[in-house]
Amino acid sequence: MDWGLANRLNLIIRPETGRTVMLAVDHGYFQGPTTGLENPRATITPLLPYADTLMLTRGILRTSVDPSSGTPVVLRVSGGTSVLKELSNEGLATCMEEALRLNAVAVAHSIFVGGEGERESLLNLAKLVDEGQRYGMPVLAVTAVGREMARDARYLGLASRIAAELGANIVKTYYCDDFEKVVAGCPVPIVIAGGKKLAEYEAIKMAYNSIKHGAVGVDMGRNIFQCDAPVAMIRAVRAVVHEKKTAGQALALFEKLKNEGAK
Ligand code: R5P
């Protein structure tokens, strides 16, 4: 593998554990000021020391993250839609040159398998992979789910495999029953999105189960930044991802940190 590409991948999936805790704060690119991200800098800054990478758009990176932050950046490059219209009609919203200028360690692109924009999202992913190969930039494919798609192993397995076939270096998908089948059918590392805010124990258990069934980590957003103690939450998630803690042990850590005042 190209040295630059391998180096960037190692800045995402930590070599010490073979795992990663990615913090996703890119929701505004189609949702606007998402709950918990109204003031991105205030939300992001305390979480940075605990995130292996930060996934976000160039606009929020430039305005809300200090360049002195040592946290590697995964740049969201697909976009062009809003919650008011058909979400699957995304296009490429940020070019590879910009990703390089911003010192990104990967670019993130959504695919909409089964959606109206399926073909374009898949071909744009393939184009991005071609460019990524040219410049040593890993591509993370996000298996976005349309309103009418089931989040089951059959659908997520299909979408994840297609992403890998098109050359994605990492796939981000959802946890589901029979998740090990999704992992078994996908020859590149998988991370899971957290989805809508759950009770803390449920979110921690989801992270735990994902790892147990073969994910290399999480790329979580709302279950961390919408929690009333986000720092305690990301540290609890780190405990299951990097430190082999059980969900119960991680919940105990969350409660302890929260009681100590960790926000
Ligand atoms: C969705 O397309 C975005 O990439 C989000 O960053 C992603 O869904 C992860 O965030 P959450 O854990 O809130 O689902």
Side-chain angles (χ1 to χ4, degrees):
M1 192 188 291
D2 170 77
W3 195 93
L5 195 126
N7 179 252
R8 287 188 169 99
L9 281 172
N10 276 300
L11 290 168
I12 303 171
I13 302 170
R14 302 302 311 166
E16 310 88 82
T17 60
R19 293 187 179 158
T20 184
V21 174
M22 306 171 68
L23 176 64
V25 289
D26 59 329
H27 306 59
Y29 89 94
F30 69 98
Q31 291 183 359
T34 308
T35 304
L37 284 178
E38 297 89 343
N39 178 342
R41 179 180 290 272
T43 301
I44 294 168
T45 304
L47 293 169
L48 281 175
Y50 306 102
D52 293 319
T53 72
L54 189 60
M55 177 178 167
L56 75 182
T57 58
R58 61 174 157 186
I60 298 303
L61 179 63
R62 283 192 191 129
T63 57
S64 311
V65 182
D66 288 335
S68 60
S69 145
T71 309
V73 167
V74 174
L75 194 67
R76 154 70 65 181
V77 297
S78 64
T81 59
S82 82
V83 280
L84 302 180
K85 290 221 170 176
E86 172 55 45
L87 288 177
S88 73
N89 286 334
E90 281 189 4
L92 277 167
T94 305
C95 68
M96 188 59 72
E97 189 185 11
E98 177 79 326
L100 291 162
R101 187 183 302 123
L102 293 170
N103 202 26
V105 294
V107 287
H109 183 284
S110 291
I111 57 169
F112 296 85
V113 172
E116 197 179 296
E118 175 186 280
R119 177 183 153 83
E120 197 165 355
S121 72
L122 292 178
L123 292 177
N124 281 339
L125 172 64
K127 204 185 296 174
L128 194 62
V129 169
D130 284 339
E131 287 193 16
Q133 288 298 123
R134 197 171 303 136
Y135 295 106
M137 180 68 74
V139 175
L140 181 150
V142 181
T143 67
V145 178
R147 290 184 182 95
E148 64 287 0
M149 306 302 170
R151 288 187 187 183
D152 60 19
R154 191 165 170 219
Y155 173 77
L156 297 174
L158 171 75
S160 297
R161 176 58 173 264
I162 289 172
E165 297 266 354
L166 292 175
N169 303 95
I170 305 178
V171 169
K172 169 174 169 172
T173 191
Y174 291 91
Y175 183 71
C176 59
D177 290 339
D178 296 324
F179 184 70
E180 60 278 10
K181 289 187 186 163
V182 177
V183 174
C186 179
V188 298
I190 289 187
V191 293
I192 60 136
K196 286 188 180 146
K197 173 80 176 68
L198 304 167
E200 280 77 22
Y201 183 62
E202 294 307 312
I204 290 169
K205 206 164 61 178
M206 178 168 62
Y208 175 82
N209 284 331
S210 309
I211 297 294
K212 184 175 165 192
H213 294 118
V216 298
V218 301
D219 187 8
M220 255 186 194
R222 288 164 288 179
N223 276 289
I224 291 170
F225 65 72
Q226 289 180 350
C227 176
D228 58 5
V231 167
M233 187 59 183
I234 196 169
R235 290 180 66 180
V237 170
R238 288 191 75 81
V240 297
V241 172
H242 283 302
E243 295 163 30
K244 300 190 174 161
K245 300 293 184 201
T246 64
Q249 289 169 327
L251 182 70
L253 174 68
F254 169 77
E255 301 289 1
K256 177 176 165 287
L257 293 170
K258 187 179 164 184
N259 290 337
E260 286 171 1
K263 283 287 174 197

